[in-house]
Amino acid sequence: MKNSNQTVIRVGIADLKFVKAPDTIRTLGLGSCVGVVVYDDTKRIAGLAHVLLPDSSHTKQTNLNAFKYADTAIPILVDELVRNGASKLRLKAKIAGGAQMFQFTSNSDTMRIGARNVDMVKEMLKGFEIPIVSSDVGGNSGRTIEFDPITSELKIRKVRSDEYVI
């Protein structure tokens, strides 16, 4: 239940933000994108990255948005949490999204953006030895997620579905 001292920090697409209790953090529009929450439940701080694409190495952009890609956003997420008092040994993750929003006749790996996003997020978190304690990925529905660093609950609302918690 939201109290009057609580603010909801909103994270846009290809964005990354941080939150400390009692505030919560939310992102909308997770289709093939993946919402990556990394948190320290003792310090009650968390970061949320709204990952749009898996890998920055294929971009031709000169002004790279590091928050857009799993391989660049997750290191920033971890570094900033530790810089703000989180213990690297206590970090945990919850992830949601990675849906296959459109059905294609081709089985091309290029069109499997959601699955590729999920795979890269898992690979990056494993590299930092951050356990994924729960996830809600795949399917073909968009999601809105909100994380509460007090309870470590990730509320998920899917299109045409009730809200649930992981």
Side-chain angles (χ1 to χ4, degrees):
M1 187 156 127
K2 189 173 160 124
N3 67 45
S4 60
N5 297 336
Q6 192 176 44
T7 301
V8 177
I9 307 299
R10 289 176 174 77
V11 179
I13 295 171
D15 195 6
L16 180 152
K17 292 188 180 165
F18 298 90
V19 67
K20 290 184 179 181
D23 298 339
T24 62
I25 193 163
R26 175 190 302 158
T27 193
L28 315 170
L30 291 173
S32 59
C33 299
V34 176
V36 183
V37 176
V38 177
Y39 64 99
D40 179 330
D41 55 3
T42 301
K43 290 283 186 176
R44 295 183 169 181
I45 60 175
L48 170 59
H50 185 131
V51 171
L52 185 66
L53 294 168
D55 185 0
S56 63
S57 67
H58 302 298
T59 187
K60 293 173 178 42
Q61 295 175 337
T62 52
N63 290 339
L64 179 76
N65 174 359
F67 301 159
K68 185 176 187 177
Y69 304 93
D71 69 327
T72 52
I74 291 172
I76 295 168
L77 199 58
V78 173
D79 290 347
E80 285 297 312
L81 283 166
V82 170
R83 218 167 56 89
N84 284 287
S87 165
K88 197 167 181 194
L89 298 174
R90 283 194 307 260
L91 292 179
K92 299 174 188 166
K94 294 188 177 193
I95 64 174
Q100 181 67 40
M101 297 302 292
F102 307 101
Q103 299 304 318
F104 297 100
T105 53
S106 164
N107 284 334
S108 166
D109 195 49
T110 307
M111 304 314 289
R112 297 178 50 253
I113 297 167
R116 289 177 33 236
N117 280 340
V118 170
D119 290 346
M120 182 60 86
V121 164
K122 287 179 176 179
E123 183 180 318
M124 293 302 299
L125 291 169
K126 183 178 180 182
F128 282 101
E129 298 178 350
I130 297 172
I132 299 171
V133 295
S134 59
S135 67
D136 181 51
V137 297
N140 57 11
S141 295
R143 296 164 174 87
T144 293
I145 63 172
E146 185 170 339
F147 184 78
D148 183 340
I150 293 174
T151 62
S152 299
E153 290 182 342
L154 183 63
K155 291 180 188 166
I156 301 173
R157 214 171 30 252
K158 282 187 185 175
V159 177
R160 295 179 294 283
S161 178
D162 290 334
E163 182 176 279
Y164 52 100
V165 175
I166 63 169

